[in-house]
Amino acid sequence: MKLNVEDYRRAARRVLPRFVFDYIDGAAERGDCLNRNRADLDRLALMPRVLRDTSAVDCGIEVFGQRWRQPFGIAPMGFNGLGRAGGDGMLARAAAAAGVPFVLSTASNERLERVATPGGIHWLQLYVMRDRAIASQLLRRARAAGYQALVLTVDVPLSGYRERDVRNGFRLPFRPPLATLADIALHPRWLLRFLRAGMPGFVNLAEEEGADTLQLQAALLSRELDRALDWDGLAWLRRQWDGPLLLKGVLHPADAREALRRGVDGLIVSNHGGRQLDVALSAIAALPGVADAVEGRIPVFVDSGFRSGADVAKALALGARAVFLGRPLLYGLAVDGEAGAGAVLQLIATELERALVLCGASRAGALERGMVHGLAQGWPAAAGLGALGVQAGEQAGEYAAAHRKKEEALQT
């Protein structure tokens, strides 16, 4: 019986070879950022309101003119076919059934045209590689296939150093050490699916199916991206994409304000799930500063570290329009394919509705920052400004106001 995401994580560890589980579950270097994401979420508590009518609860939200059934979706994740052959399509179908968005990664293992599910909410995540023609053909195809929004990931000028992958010999071309081969042999069900499907590839790198090269695939796996891409490069993207454009990987309020000035349509506060800069601020700690910086003029989303509906509720109270979930869906996918992913989405939805009712909120937007309390001293300040030494019990809203005053003082 699986009662929570951690149950699915333990089950995924059992059914996957170690190198696959480590790729899904791992993070950069020592895993400090990964752990910080969780620790900072756990420091926050919600202070319920009482005697409010919660006889009917509506968790739905509207984003860019579309109705989401829940204030969460599936974050872009690469190499989903490694954990389960056909994983991208399974995740997309599970999201469509749940009425939530699915963001397809540039590093997906299925053609974007095949993943698009009728009636689903489909966004495309973009890595801009050194050859910008790759991005251009992706955008042409995504428009033709009906993708509704573009998510530009901006926190990967190069790949984070993922020690668990290095130890397991996980790279392209794949030449696993003997210990990895022995471990693979101990997972016959995964191995049988792998042998039937073959090594998953990054099949969207070329416009014509089957034209991807091993060199391009290895470059994407190692994140050999266009490090010359800057704020002015957004104009190049805008000429090719006329739908909503979001930036993923924003932590600093100054970057949020610049994005607003440049006409970006939305932000995703993220540290890439702890897979990039190991000393980066947690996403939940950065969220209030980013939300305040844009003053409600564009939607702010968040990912990195979220494992429950209660976690989602905390983010909503701190100003997020919605949360994007990553690893929990991959655990469910590994355990039971599309059904497992759907079960995780339903689990998060049930936990969220329970949290809303117990907080006295009849809809997702009724959660307020004043309902959030920190549980420890030293709640991190927003990007780069140091800890403010918030006393236990201070509201996150009070912290955000103090941070804004300090930032203004530094700028004068």
Side-chain angles (χ1 to χ4, degrees), residues 11-355:
R13 184 192 287 271
R14 290 193 297 270
V15 303
L16 292 174
R18 178 173 177 174
F19 88 95
V20 179
F21 181 79
D22 281 356
Y23 176 76
I24 291 171
D25 195 63
E29 301 177 31
R30 297 175 302 180
D32 290 346
C33 186
L34 174 72
N35 294 329
R36 192 176 302 115
N37 283 331
R38 285 302 320 153
D40 284 353
L41 271 163
D42 290 342
R43 288 182 186 182
L44 296 177
L46 293 174
M47 183 170 65
R49 301 295 305 274
V50 298
L51 293 178
R52 292 185 169 187
D53 184 358
T54 55
S55 56
V57 177
D58 181 10
C59 291
I61 60 172
E62 185 172 302
V63 178
F64 302 136
Q66 289 184 302
R67 178 75 174 174
W68 300 9
R69 218 177 294 162
Q70 300 288 337
F72 55 78
I74 300 181
M77 295 171 287
F79 241 143
N80 292 332
L82 194 64
R84 175 76 64 153
D88 293 303
M90 293 177 184
L91 290 174
R93 291 189 293 272
V100 300
F102 171 69
V103 188
L104 182 71
S105 171
T106 293
S108 61
N109 302 132
E110 292 182 77
R111 298 281 285 182
L112 63 87
E113 293 86 354
R114 294 179 183 173
V115 171
T117 304
I121 304 169
H122 295 281
W123 293 6
L124 176 69
Q125 177 271 336
L126 181 67
Y127 288 124
V128 179
M129 300 181 69
R130 293 172 185 171
D131 181 0
R132 291 193 181 185
I134 297 172
S136 295
Q137 64 87 9
L138 276 167
L139 297 181
R140 285 195 300 271
R141 291 167 49 213
R143 276 201 314 272
Y147 282 69
Q148 297 108 347
L150 177 66
V151 176
L152 175 65
T153 294
V154 294
D155 61 353
V156 188
L158 53 78
S159 181
Y161 187 61
R162 300 171 190 175
E163 294 181 3
R164 288 162 77 173
D165 293 346
V166 174
R167 294 183 193 280
N168 292 325
F170 184 40
R171 61 186 181 276
L172 290 177
F174 186 41
R175 298 191 182 98
L178 289 177
T180 297
L181 288 173
D183 184 60
I184 288 173
L186 296 175
H187 296 84
R189 291 185 179 180
W190 179 90
L191 179 58
L192 182 60
R193 287 195 298 266
F194 179 84
L195 292 175
R196 286 174 177 169
M199 184 68 175
F202 301 133
V203 297
N204 284 301
L205 298 184
E207 192 153 9
E208 298 300 323
E209 188 169 2
D212 305 298
T213 67
L214 182 60
Q215 182 179 6
L216 271 178
Q217 304 229 2
L220 182 55
L221 182 63
S222 62
R223 301 297 190 270
E224 294 180 11
L225 306 182
D226 185 356
R227 290 164 64 178
L229 184 68
D230 58 12
W231 288 104
D232 292 335
L234 296 182
W236 168 76
L237 273 180
R238 281 294 194 191
R239 290 193 294 271
Q240 302 177 77
W241 182 264
D242 56 4
L245 171 63
L246 299 92
L247 301 187
K248 179 181 183 296
V250 174
L251 295 173
H252 202 295
D255 286 333
R257 287 189 289 271
E258 182 65 16
L260 189 64
R261 191 177 75 82
R262 298 277 182 160
V264 169
D265 300 296
L267 298 174
I268 303 179
V269 177
S270 171
N271 55 37
H272 219 94
R275 296 167 74 85
Q276 283 299 110
L277 180 64
D278 199 27
V279 296
L281 188 70
S282 72
I284 194 66
L287 173 60
V290 171
D292 289 342
V294 302
E295 299 177 327
R297 294 166 63 185
I298 57 175
V300 173
F301 308 90
V302 65
D303 69 26
S304 301
F306 294 87
R307 297 291 183 270
S308 70
D311 288 344
V312 173
K314 293 175 185 179
L316 298 178
L318 288 177
R321 179 72 62 85
V323 171
F324 284 102
L325 304 165
R327 290 180 181 90
L329 276 302
L330 296 186
Y331 302 145
L333 186 70
V335 172
D336 199 17
E338 183 178 334
V344 169
L345 289 173
Q346 182 56 55
L347 173 65
I348 301 293
T350 300
E351 292 173 339
L352 174 61
E353 182 170 342
R354 183 185 305 120

